[in-house]
Amino acid sequence: MNGHNAIKSEHTALRSTLASSGVSPTREKLILQAIENVNKPGLRLDTSAILPLMKPVTWFPPMWAFACGVVSTGEPILSNWSILLAGIILAGPLMCAMSQTMNDYFDREVDAINEPERPIPSGRISKQASWLITFTLIMTGFIVAWWIHPYVMAIAFFGVLMSHAYSGPPLRAKRNGWFGNLIVGLAYEGVAWLTGSFAITQGVPSSESIALAVIFSLGAHGIMTLNDFKSIVGDNIRKVASIPVQLGERKAAILAAVVMDVAQLCALGILLWKSAYITAGISFILLLFQLPMQNILIRNPKEKAVWYNAFGTLLYVLSMMVCAVGIRP
């Protein structure tokens, strides 16, 4: 079978799979074009597509976690505003954006099915251009991290390695939701939190701060599971073993809710151990508000996963800051 016939056969099989998944003919045509776009040679760079490639909506979690790490130290924020600002920029528009552009490069064939409108599948940015953007973000991030502290640059370098381990070969941890979601949670929440704590004090974070960073990182595994619901069709086709693919939609939603709730209960235990009863009470109320929302999620996970990630997860991240305030010396 020659190359043309092989491609034609692959497209025929893909059309059949997409049709059985309920994909409309219009979107099917868009997907097939996107599959051709992702590996086209040449350097194409539509400047209006650079920001969408970096996914600003994903910057908030590491920026927030960095701020939580800063708050947890009890150090005055106004006198350290320049470090706080530089750290937030490092965590979000640089390192998180870098991880997104790197992920889009390695994930371009899956995105062609799940999100054909993304910059690389749509043809607005070539895979070669996406690497130039990634490299620029890495170098700029290293400069900002070095300015904060040389140790922060070492952490930034570790963050780049984690991003590659998640998205790229040989590990490509995201192909298994158990490991991939864990790496993202640790990078977005734990590493960012501890970097914020260290950047202000330039010393080892407190045991309570380390504990909360780890706890909320593990809880973020549930957030990442919910994020995978939007990619079920493409993940099935490309053999990506996300949690919803492995467990099914309802069980994955239950797991995500349980993981997030257990994390918050553990954090609540630390606040009670510190005798921070007011913040413990606020944290408990935030958890109670999530329970009816989780019930709605579990009843209809495919339709409500995006909704819960927008509203239920907001209460989870608010609890992070409440706990950061509660452990201040």
Side-chain angles (χ1 to χ4, degrees), residues 14 38 43 65 162 184 215 312 329:
L14 181 58
V38 293
L43 189 67
M162 291 181 72
V184 174
I215 286 169

Coordinates of all heavy atoms in Angstrom, one line a residue, residues 14 38 43 65 162 184 215 312 329:
L14 N -10.9 7.0 10.4 CA -11.1 8.1 11.4 C -12.5 8.7 11.2 O -13.2 9.0 12.2 CB -10.1 9.2 11.1 CG -10.2 10.5 12.1 CD1 -10.0 10.0 13.5 CD2 -9.1 11.5 11.7
V38 N -1.0 19.9 11.2 CA -0.2 19.9 12.4 C 1.3 19.5 12.0 O 2.2 19.8 12.8 CB -0.7 18.9 13.5 CG1 -2.0 19.4 14.0 CG2 -0.9 17.5 12.9
L43 N 7.7 27.6 8.4 CA 7.6 28.5 9.5 C 6.5 29.4 9.3 O 6.5 30.3 8.5 CB 8.9 29.3 9.7 CG 9.0 30.1 11.1 CD1 9.1 29.1 12.2 CD2 10.3 31.0 11.0
A65 N -1.1 30.0 43.4 CA -0.3 29.2 44.4 C 0.9 29.9 44.8 O 1.3 29.8 46.0 CB 0.1 27.8 43.7
M162 N 9.9 19.1 34.3 CA 8.6 18.5 34.6 C 7.6 18.7 33.4 O 6.8 17.7 33.1 CB 8.0 19.1 35.8 CG 8.7 18.8 37.1 SD 8.0 19.6 38.6 CE 6.5 18.6 38.8
V184 N 1.3 17.5 36.8 CA 0.7 18.9 36.7 C 0.3 19.5 38.0 O 0.6 20.7 38.3 CB -0.5 18.8 35.7 CG1 -1.2 20.2 35.7 CG2 -0.1 18.4 34.3
I215 N -0.4 18.8 49.9 CA -1.9 18.4 50.0 C -2.7 19.0 48.9 O -3.4 18.3 48.2 CB -2.4 18.9 51.4 CG1 -1.9 18.0 52.5 CG2 -4.0 18.9 51.3 CD1 -2.2 18.6 53.9
G312 N -17.0 25.3 41.0 CA -16.6 24.5 42.2 C -15.2 24.6 42.5 O -14.8 24.7 43.6
P329 N 2.8 32.7 60.8 CA 3.3 32.7 62.1 C 2.8 33.9 62.9 O 2.4 34.9 62.3 CB 4.8 32.8 61.9 CG 5.1 33.0 60.5 CD 3.8 32.8 59.7

